[in-house]
Amino acid sequence: MSLNCSMWQDNSMSVKHFAFAKFSEVTEQCFLLFTVILLMFLASLTGNALIALAIWTNPVLHTPMYFFLANLSFLEIGYTCSVIPKMLQSLVSEVRGISREGCATQMFFFTLFAISECCLLAAMAFDRYMAICSPLHYATRMNRGVCAHLAIVSWGVGCMVGLGQTNYIFSLDFCGPCEIDHFFCDLPPILALACGDTSYNEAAVFVVAILCISSPFLLIIASYGRILAAVLVMPSPEGRHKALSTCSSHLLVVTLFYGSGSVTYLRPKASHSPGTDKLLALFYTVVTSMLNPIIYSLRNKEVKAALQRTFWIKTR
């Protein structure tokens, strides 16, 4: 049921407050969903914080690969914290409203963390390419300065895209309805509430999505193409296995993140439906963030050993 927006409009009749649509009219279903998402949210926060702590406190992990992994953990924490708390509130409370400024803030931080992660995953792929294809020059070419610059560029691109997209969307007028058919202020459902013809705005958002999702993904594909070519000519089976094992966790994370993101933002508008969009958004905001620390800790002996050392030191 659409909300009456008249109380949330100013003299210019532009909506100043929004409200998120209810997940379900059945209280038990909302409570069950709240419990499941809360547990996954806590697991994501705990897992990513532990990985960042283990890397920070173990000098043996002060290498480029783990520097980027720590950045990824921080991004995942910010990514989920920008969306999930408000969603959890909407599930168990009748207070589902959000101001126009609050919605813009949420969109900015979500976009910042998401785009930064796209770029950081490409930087991680480049790091693996340098480690496997140019091992003799790896230490000099991937020094601390280079790694810091790649991380800064990733965060910087995310910040610029977040500011640009948020300012572009919220420069529009919103005449109603004021109910967002989603659980956070994502770009497509907010654009759907804007006044008049938004086809040019939608096209601009789509172009930015292509550039920010496809460009890093193509860099990842190129890096792993070169890695595969180098691995195939390695004379030692042990060398091939070690090279592939160092890349498998990153490839799995890339598949989960880019797969869900591409299906959400790059598929034709005609194929969108609120139910499918919400399900996909739950996957890439909650599930992937929870799975990433599990993937890296279970498939990486060094991370597991570092976590064990960290807990041993803390509990002694």
Side-chain angles (χ1 to χ4, degrees):
M1 181 182 296
S2 296
L3 296 176
N4 182 0
C5 297
S6 59
M7 68 180 72
W8 290 346
Q9 292 174 320
D10 60 9
N11 293 332
S12 67
M13 297 306 290
S14 180
V15 173
K16 295 301 179 184
H17 283 75
F18 302 99
F20 297 109
K22 294 187 75 172
F23 277 83
S24 172
E25 296 295 335
V26 182
T27 305
E28 291 77 10
Q29 291 181 355
C30 288
F31 182 75
L32 176 62
L33 192 58
F34 171 86
T35 304
V36 172
I37 293 175
L38 176 61
L39 291 174
M40 290 194 294
F41 176 56
L42 293 176
S44 173
L45 287 182
T46 304
N48 283 294
L50 286 176
I51 285 183
L53 178 64
I55 293 171
W56 180 266
T57 57
N58 286 271
V60 70
L61 297 184
H62 292 177
T63 64
M65 182 173 73
Y66 295 110
F67 168 78
F68 291 126
L69 180 55
N71 271 268
L72 181 65
S73 294
F74 285 125
L75 283 172
E76 293 287 4
I77 291 171
Y79 190 62
T80 53
C81 287
S82 67
V83 173
I84 305 304
K86 186 65 179 177
M87 179 182 66
L88 292 172
Q89 180 193 21
S90 301
L91 281 169
V92 294
S93 170
E94 290 301 318
V95 182
R96 295 179 285 114
I98 186 170
S99 67
R100 181 177 176 134
E101 293 76 15
C103 192
T105 301
Q106 187 184 62
M107 179 181 289
F108 164 71
F109 280 107
F110 172 78
T111 307
L112 184 159
F113 292 123
I115 298 302
S116 297
E117 185 163 340
C118 285
C119 297
L120 190 71
L121 289 172
M124 294 173 76
F126 177 73
D127 171 67
R128 292 298 82 209
Y129 158 71
M130 291 299 299
I132 294 171
C133 298
S134 187
L136 297 179
H137 304 287
Y138 177 69
T140 55
R141 292 181 179 176
M142 293 299 293
N143 55 53
R144 288 187 178 183
V146 172
C147 294
H149 277 91
L150 288 173
I152 290 170
V153 168
S154 298
W155 286 82
V157 170
C159 186
M160 287 189 293
V161 173
L163 282 172
Q165 290 285 71
T166 303
N167 182 66
Y168 186 59
I169 298 297
F170 283 91
S171 64
L172 302 171
D173 287 325
F174 299 91
C175 308
C178 58
E179 188 175 70
I180 303 170
D181 199 2
H182 208 48
F183 61 81
F184 70 97
C185 294
D186 201 4
L187 278 72
I190 296 298
L191 261 180
L193 303 181
C195 307
D197 182 17
T198 60
S199 56
Y200 288 110
N201 306 85
E202 291 169 0
V205 170
F206 183 73
V207 169
V208 171
I210 289 178
L211 292 175
C212 294
I213 295 176
S214 300
S215 299
F217 184 68
L218 290 175
L219 290 174
I220 293 171
I221 294 297
S223 296
Y224 277 104
R226 297 292 298 272
I227 288 172
L228 181 61
V231 168
L232 290 176
V233 298
M234 287 182 178
S236 168
E238 291 80 10
R240 289 196 296 269
H241 179 266
K242 183 179 180 180
L244 292 174
S245 65
T246 61
C247 300
S248 58
S249 298
H250 181 251
L251 275 174
L252 187 54
V253 168
V254 166
T255 302
L256 290 172
F257 184 79
Y258 276 96
S260 56
S262 299
V263 171
T264 301
Y265 296 104
L266 299 182
R267 75 182 195 274
K269 182 182 177 182
S271 64
H272 282 257
S273 69
T276 304
D277 289 347
K278 289 178 186 177
L279 188 62
L280 285 168
L282 274 176
F283 184 81
Y284 65 74
T285 56
V286 184
V287 179
T288 57
S289 296
M290 180 191 69
L291 290 178
N292 286 355
I294 297 174
I295 292 168
Y296 277 108
S297 61
L298 290 180
R299 299 182 64 87
N300 192 303
K301 294 179 180 179
E302 291 179 320
V303 172
K304 285 192 289 186
L307 287 171
Q308 291 169 356
R309 286 193 298 270
T310 300
F311 277 115
W312 173 249
I313 292 171
K314 298 295 182 184
T315 56
R316 287 183 64 178

